Amino acid sequence: QVQLVESGGGSVQTGGSLRLSCAFSGYTDKSYCMAWFRQAPGKEREGVAQIDNYQSTFYADSVKGRFTISRDNAENTVSLQMNSLKPEDTATYYCARGLWGGGRCYNPPSPTDFAYWGQGTQVTVSS
């Protein structure tokens, strides 16, 4: 079955960096849109970044210039490099796989466009 497993969360101070990784398995068609979402307590799940099979990317305005999403289909991984972290980046971060193959993503990322989710990894940024 399809599985997505995140790793790399943790606690850092303002200005620090973290790298999240998502290992995916259980399917052979690698053309799906892949994304990172986050959800803070009491807030809606927010699309942070997504990448299609042609390496085209989308970033939420709140993370543009600080976060970088990448994918390696040979290694079955999607990563999120997070630099210059701020307290408002504190959330649980989720990796997600899109509903449709074919290589493209729809911008901006919406939770309803994603079929499979990881269990989440906590990121905490202290001031």
Side-chain angles (χ1 to χ4, degrees):
Q1 69 276 23
V2 176
Q3 284 190 317
L4 291 83
V5 180
E6 302 100 337
S7 61
S11 296
V12 296
Q13 293 188 325
T14 297
S17 297
L18 284 172
R19 184 176 180 86
L20 306 183
S21 292
C22 172
F24 55 87
S25 61
Y27 59 100
T28 56
D29 180 358
K30 306 290 180 66
S31 68
Y32 291 91
C33 178
M34 300 296 295
W36 287 94
F37 286 78
R38 68 185 179 187
Q39 190 166 20
K43 294 191 176 182
E44 292 187 354
R45 192 164 293 193
E46 171 192 21
V48 173
Q50 68 182 4
I51 184 167
D52 70 16
N53 201 40
Y54 305 97
Q55 304 292 331
S56 293
T57 57
F58 170 90
Y59 296 95
D61 287 344
S62 58
V63 306
K64 204 172 290 184
R66 301 187 297 122
F67 290 11
T68 303
I69 189 171
S70 59
R71 68 189 291 166
D72 185 337
N73 285 347
E75 296 292 329
N76 290 356
T77 59
V78 178
S79 298
L80 186 69
Q81 177 66 42
M82 306 186 295
N83 299 328
S84 302
L85 283 161
K86 305 175 181 180
E88 51 264 44
D89 295 319
T90 296
T92 301
Y93 283 70
Y94 299 90
C95 174
R97 196 206 81 172
L99 273 169
W100 307 285
R104 294 295 185 187
C105 297
Y106 293 92
N107 296 326
S110 168
T112 56
D113 291 339
F114 291 83
Y116 296 96
W117 297 81
Q119 81 286 355
T121 186
Q122 179 66 35
V123 171
T124 303
V125 185
S126 58
S127 58

